[in-house]
Amino acid sequence: MFSNKGKRGKFFSPFELILIVIFLAVFACFSLILLIINQNILIDQNSIDLLDMYIRASFVLIGSTLSGIVAFFIFSLQENVKKKEKVENEMKFYDNIKEEYHDNLEALKKVSKMMRQNSISDLANDLAEEKEVKEILRAVHTQMNFTFYSDFLKELKNKEYSNHIKAFKKSHQVYKYLELIITNLENKENIEKILVLIKDDIIEMKELYGNSSSNETEED
């Protein structure tokens, strides 16, 4: 562990390298100025070629440094734009899923109302006997939509969405439970078990998403 940190410490960051190059360029410029000021001492026929090479090298270094700074600045701007676009897209995806989630909660009010007015056992019995309550669940299942959930949920990376994402997933699980009751289950005991899961998930959805969502879902 320690040796790896030591090895990483030997490398310079891009910003540090740019500072070093800038320092060298400034040093070369001041050296060039000093040579020009003291030209009577340092410049003669024998050293003119060396001076010319030094001047050219200094200007190349300065030009390269400026080009590097401009390139680094442009790169930083591009990265900032990408990060901003990523955040904006994530917020847009979240808003779409949130709106879809609230629409699904609105549909689930009918299920919550039935569970408040009847016992789970009575509901399971009615569903097993193919009474009209099954048609209500079928209508709720049809009203629920998960287009944005399916397309955009994986794009949400922001940690502040964590509980809301869990609530979205719970709503989708309720959707699957409703589908199971409508299409596959006929035994009262099995239906009752699924209804208990639905009730628990709806309660947990409210808790995860917040009190405002809970109050909206509880309204008749």
Side-chain angles (χ1 to χ4, degrees):
M1 294 291 292
F2 181 78
S3 59
N4 289 336
K5 289 183 179 179
K7 290 180 180 179
R8 286 197 296 268
K10 294 180 180 179
F11 296 99
F12 295 102
S13 67
F15 183 72
E16 290 173 334
L17 289 175
I18 289 176
L19 288 179
I20 292 172
V21 174
I22 292 175
F23 175 79
L24 292 175
V26 172
F27 175 77
C29 290
F30 277 106
S31 298
L32 179 60
I33 292 173
L34 289 174
L35 282 174
I36 294 173
I37 293 175
N38 298 282
Q39 58 181 335
N40 292 331
I41 299 174
L42 298 178
I43 300 177
D44 54 26
Q45 290 295 328
N46 295 326
S47 61
I48 193 65
D49 291 337
L50 179 62
L51 177 61
D52 181 68
M53 182 178 65
Y54 184 79
I55 293 173
R56 290 177 183 272
S58 297
F59 278 110
V60 169
L61 180 60
I62 294 171
S64 300
T65 302
L66 292 176
S67 299
I69 293 173
V70 172
F72 181 77
F73 181 71
I74 293 174
F75 174 78
S76 299
L77 287 178
Q78 290 176 338
E79 287 298 306
N80 290 335
V81 169
K82 289 180 181 178
K83 290 179 180 179
K84 184 178 179 180
E85 289 179 349
K86 183 179 179 181
V87 172
E88 289 177 349
N89 287 334
E90 187 171 340
M91 291 179 64
K92 181 176 67 176
F93 296 154
Y94 169 74
D95 287 339
N96 288 334
I97 297 176
K98 181 177 68 174
E99 183 178 354
E100 187 174 73
Y101 174 79
H102 282 296
D103 290 342
N104 291 336
L105 280 180
E106 188 70 23
L108 285 174
K109 285 181 181 179
K110 297 176 183 177
V111 178
S112 297
K113 184 177 180 180
M114 286 191 300
M115 289 182 172
R116 291 196 305 270
Q117 294 176 342
N118 304 276
S119 67
I120 296 294
S121 179
D122 290 340
L123 279 177
N125 185 63
D126 290 343
L127 288 167
E129 293 179 359
E130 295 284 340
K131 291 188 176 181
E132 64 180 29
V133 66
K134 196 165 191 175
E135 293 304 317
I136 296 176
L137 292 189
R138 183 175 284 109
V140 171
H141 182 267
T142 302
Q143 290 172 14
M144 296 180 73
N145 180 32
F146 290 91
T147 301
F148 290 123
Y149 171 91
S150 301
D151 291 344
F152 300 139
L153 184 67
K154 63 182 179 180
E155 303 296 334
L156 299 185
K157 307 298 182 184
N158 198 321
K159 291 183 179 180
E160 70 181 66
Y161 301 147
S162 178
N163 284 342
H164 289 182
I165 290 174
K166 292 177 182 177
F168 299 156
K169 290 181 178 180
K170 286 290 180 182
S171 67
H172 191 257
Q173 186 62 56
V174 170
Y175 176 79
K176 292 295 185 180
Y177 286 150
L178 290 175
E179 184 177 13
L180 188 62
I181 291 176
I182 294 167
T183 59
N184 294 324
L185 297 183
E186 296 179 356
N187 180 271
K188 176 187 174 182
E189 287 73 20
N190 291 337
I191 294 175
E192 188 171 347
K193 292 177 182 178
I194 298 300
L195 288 175
V196 171
L197 293 176
I198 290 175
K199 184 177 181 179
D200 291 343
D201 280 353
I202 290 177
I203 293 173
E204 190 171 353
M205 284 162 52
K206 300 173 187 177
E207 294 175 348
L208 287 168
Y209 200 80
N211 292 331
S212 60
S213 296
S214 176
N215 293 335
E216 290 173 5
T217 310
E218 286 294 333
E219 293 176 359
D220 292 338

